[in-house]
Amino acid sequence: MSHLSLQQKIDGAGGPLPMLRSSQTGPYAFPIPPEFSNWRDEQRAWREGVALMDQSYHMTDLYVEGPDAVKLASELAVNSFSGFGDNKAKQFIACAPSGYLIGDMIIFGLADHRVNIVGRPTVANWVEYKARAGGYDVQVDRDERTLNNPKPRKTFRFEIQGPNAWKLLEKLNGGPIEQPRFFQMGALRVAGRALRSLRHGMGGGPGLEFWGPVEQGPEVKAAILAAGEEFGLRQVGSRAYASAAVDSGWLPCPMPAIYSGQDMQGYRQWLGADSFDAVASLGGSFLSDRIEDYYYTPWEIDYGRLIRFDHDFVGRDALERRARDSHRRKVSLVWNPEDAQRVYGSLATPGANGKYMEMPAFHYSSYQYDAVLSGKGDRVGISTYSSFLAPDGAW
């Protein structure tokens, strides 16, 4: 049976959990070569040297333009947009009316009335729906990620990270670059091209993300690779890149709070049955019959510090009610080396195999939820998106 919408697909499967658990979709894909050298040296590059990450293919770009562009963003985001506009950038964190998280992306102010929201498709879908259904004076232009896009991308997007990143960036620029504050936009020149940039930082070192028209991408990349030889630049393939979120302490793909609730039914009826959230898979040893047990509040993944009740936004009432509650806390869970070795050793013991842990990113489903148990067998947490980090020699 074919389904036209997410809601129809949920109804046909007998609920969101049967739909998600039966999906054959694997982890989120990064359509670049798996390795350029080897994933261990590529991981070390952003910690110890300098790394180039090609982000031109795996993210969705949603352009919103019109007098209500910033108003739309403000009314959907839990964080404040006071003073936001041209040449500004920030994290865009969206919640459902229930106060549970839908997800986060990065929003760039390209002009006073034009923004670009970049990241996984989930939040872009929500913003596009509200832009079209909410009576906002905006136009929406979607540049889908490569795996779902038969057309060429509009922009290239590169990121240079690591302790030697700034030396390489200034060499490319042909002179000093003032280091902006974290997440502040700036500019640089590469191969004679004027490019906009965003300040990032991975592994404790400085770095920039920068972008431009897609037709300039090959020339810009060639210049980066040539200039980077002096600094031992390494390109990062999809295997190492998939582990970068864990190294940064960022939860890349929380289950969005869209699969339940009457107040989200209109969205589910609008969202296509072939969309990312409709084909996503749920895996892991954490089992519950309630879809809500897989949702997160902003506090649980360390976004509570970014909530601002200085504006009206979707989910505000629910978050105000929960502001004084106790919340789960996001932490890094480091595996005991002997436990990881025992799991791998079990692969050579027929009939007693542990779950295979792909290296370096042990990501086996779109939404990964494993139960963390105490020594007494009590559930004390949930583990997501495990990765092996070569610089630490640890899972």
Side-chain angles (χ1 to χ4, degrees), residues 29-41:
F30 305 99
I32 57 175
E35 295 171 297
F36 289 93
S37 52
N38 66 76
W39 60 262
R40 297 165 299 285
D41 288 344

Side-chain angles (χ1 to χ4, degrees), residues 286-354:
F286 172 71
L287 300 176
S288 174
D289 294 330
R290 296 181 66 253
I291 187 72
E292 291 80 11
D293 289 341
Y294 295 87
Y295 296 162
Y296 296 95
T297 69
W299 289 283
E300 292 173 324
I301 57 175
D302 197 31
Y303 290 165
R305 57 192 170 81
L306 300 177
I307 299 172
R308 295 292 181 271
F309 295 115
D310 61 355
H311 64 296
D312 291 326
F313 59 88
V314 175
R316 174 175 172 165
D317 291 345
L319 292 178
E320 285 185 317
R321 290 193 298 270
R322 294 179 178 176
R324 298 183 182 276
D325 293 348
S326 58
H327 305 282
R328 292 182 294 182
R329 186 165 58 95
K330 183 181 73 171
V331 299
S332 292
L333 178 66
V334 182
W335 293 41
N336 294 324
E338 58 271 19
D339 291 336
Q341 292 165 11
R342 191 160 55 246
V343 173
Y344 274 102
S346 74
L347 298 176
T349 307
N353 300 147

Side-chain angles (χ1 to χ4, degrees), residues 6 16 23 44 53 58 65 77 87 109 131 207 232 248 250 262 271 286 308 314 356 371-372:
L6 170 60
S23 173
R44 291 188 178 98
M53 302 172 180
H58 72 276
E65 185 169 7
N87 219 36
S248 300
W250 176 58
Q262 187 66 31
L271 191 62
F286 172 71
R308 295 292 181 271
V314 175
Y356 175 63
V372 180

Side-chain angles (χ1 to χ4, degrees), residues 93-367:
I93 304 166
C95 280
S98 62
Y100 287 118
L101 192 72
I102 292 178
D104 66 291
M105 296 176 76
I106 305 302
I107 184 168
F108 299 88
L110 303 182
D112 285 338
H113 302 295
R114 186 169 189 257
V115 302
N116 182 19
I117 305 173
V118 182
R120 298 194 180 206
T122 298
V123 174
N125 293 336
W126 173 241
V127 175
E128 182 177 1
Y129 166 71
K130 297 298 283 187
R132 298 186 184 281
Y136 292 95
D137 187 4
V138 295
Q139 292 181 326
V140 175
D141 182 18
R142 189 182 182 106
D143 185 16
E144 191 55 86
R145 61 181 184 144
T146 300
L147 292 177
N148 302 104
N149 193 349
K151 300 180 294 184
R153 297 302 307 270
K154 294 180 183 294
T155 64
F156 71 82
R157 189 175 297 275
F158 300 143
E159 184 171 339
I160 293 178
Q161 293 287 343
N164 293 329
W166 214 258
K167 296 176 184 178
L168 172 55
L169 289 164
E170 293 193 329
K171 180 179 179 180
L172 290 165
N173 187 61
I177 307 172
E178 182 180 352
Q179 289 202 28
R181 297 189 305 275
F182 181 68
F183 249 58
Q184 186 177 27
M185 287 178 65
L188 79 158
R189 297 187 69 85
V190 180
R193 307 290 189 178
L195 307 173
R196 279 180 153 173
S197 65
L198 176 70
R199 169 68 187 270
H200 267 308
M202 288 177 54
L208 290 179
E209 173 184 319
F210 48 96
W211 58 95
V214 69
E215 59 271 14
Q216 297 177 7
E219 181 183 6
V220 170
K221 179 180 260 188
I224 295 170
L225 295 177
E229 290 184 7
E230 175 185 350
F231 306 101
L233 174 71
R234 288 191 182 270
Q235 295 187 76
V236 175
S238 61
R239 294 186 69 183
Y241 189 87
S243 69
V246 170
D247 201 11
S248 300
W250 176 58
L251 182 60
C253 199
M255 181 185 288
I258 65 173
Y259 298 105
S260 60
Q262 187 66 31
D263 47 20
M264 294 295 287
Q265 184 169 352
Y267 177 58
R268 294 193 297 272
Q269 292 171 337
W270 174 86
L271 191 62
D274 59 350
S275 63
F276 172 77
D277 299 306
V279 302
S281 59
L282 170 64
S285 60
F286 172 71
L287 300 176
S288 174
D289 294 330
R290 296 181 66 253
I291 187 72
E292 291 80 11
D293 289 341
Y294 295 87
Y295 296 162
Y296 296 95
T297 69
W299 289 283
E300 292 173 324
I301 57 175
D302 197 31
Y303 290 165
R305 57 192 170 81
L306 300 177
I307 299 172
R308 295 292 181 271
F309 295 115
D310 61 355
H311 64 296
D312 291 326
F313 59 88
V314 175
R316 174 175 172 165
D317 291 345
L319 292 178
E320 285 185 317
R321 290 193 298 270
R322 294 179 178 176
R324 298 183 182 276
D325 293 348
S326 58
H327 305 282
R328 292 182 294 182
R329 186 165 58 95
K330 183 181 73 171
V331 299
S332 292
L333 178 66
V334 182
W335 293 41
N336 294 324
E338 58 271 19
D339 291 336
Q341 292 165 11
R342 191 160 55 246
V343 173
Y344 274 102
S346 74
L347 298 176
T349 307
N353 300 147
K355 190 172 182 67
Y356 175 63
M357 301 195 301
E358 180 70 44
M359 294 183 79
F362 177 35
H363 303 170
Y364 50 79
S365 60
S366 308
Y367 308 134

